[in-house]
Amino acid sequence: VQLQASGGGSVQAGGSLRLSCAASIPTVSDYNMGWFRQTPGKEREFVAAISWRGGRGATLYENSAAGRFTVSRDDAKNTVYLEMNSLKPEDTAVYYCAAGPPSINAESMRRASRYLSWGQGTQVTVSS
């Protein structure tokens, strides 16, 4: 599985970005797809996830992302998106997409260790 993340950039606080994760796997809907972020010196943290088709595309968000970020999937394009609105300086990080085994276990979807394949990361910088 190969994942290619893109869409990062620099924006001012309150702005928006849409990250994309293009996958080489036959269909992203066969996997749980997650977004994580990481800042220097810190562990990779969960941002959002969307379940495989068996989980009916259920979405899950980290508390600070809920209400501002939206994760979605386009099966025809085999791509997962993270729409980020009302961005804050504390959202500054390298964002990674990941593919994991199908599951509807919320705790499992939040754990980076449960994901098997990772994209290369895309930098998001939010200035105040």
Side-chain angles (χ1 to χ4, degrees):
V1 176
Q2 290 188 332
L3 304 173
Q4 181 74 32
S6 62
S10 297
V11 297
Q12 290 189 329
S16 299
L17 284 172
R18 187 177 77 159
L19 306 183
S20 300
C21 178
S24 66
I25 48 181
T27 172
V28 293
S29 62
D30 285 340
Y31 297 81
N32 284 350
M33 300 298 295
W35 286 97
F36 291 76
R37 64 188 180 188
Q38 189 170 23
T39 54
K42 294 188 177 181
E43 293 186 355
R44 199 165 293 188
E45 68 172 359
F46 172 76
V47 177
I50 184 166
S51 75
W52 70 302
R53 56 185 171 184
R56 300 183 179 182
T59 57
L60 192 64
Y61 297 94
E62 186 264 338
N63 287 344
S64 71
R68 299 188 299 127
F69 295 4
T70 302
V71 59
S72 62
R73 187 180 66 216
D74 186 331
D75 292 345
K77 295 183 178 180
N78 225 30
T79 300
V80 177
Y81 302 98
L82 183 67
E83 182 78 33
M84 304 187 295
N85 298 312
S86 302
L87 282 162
K88 304 175 182 180
E90 51 263 43
D91 294 319
T92 295
V94 177
Y95 283 70
Y96 298 89
C97 62
S103 170
I104 57 172
N105 182 288
E107 186 59 32
S108 177
M109 292 172 68
R110 292 177 178 274
R111 292 185 180 178
S113 62
R114 295 292 296 171
Y115 289 81
L116 306 177
S117 298
W118 293 81
Q120 84 287 4
T122 184
Q123 176 71 47
V124 171
T125 302
V126 185
S127 58
S128 58

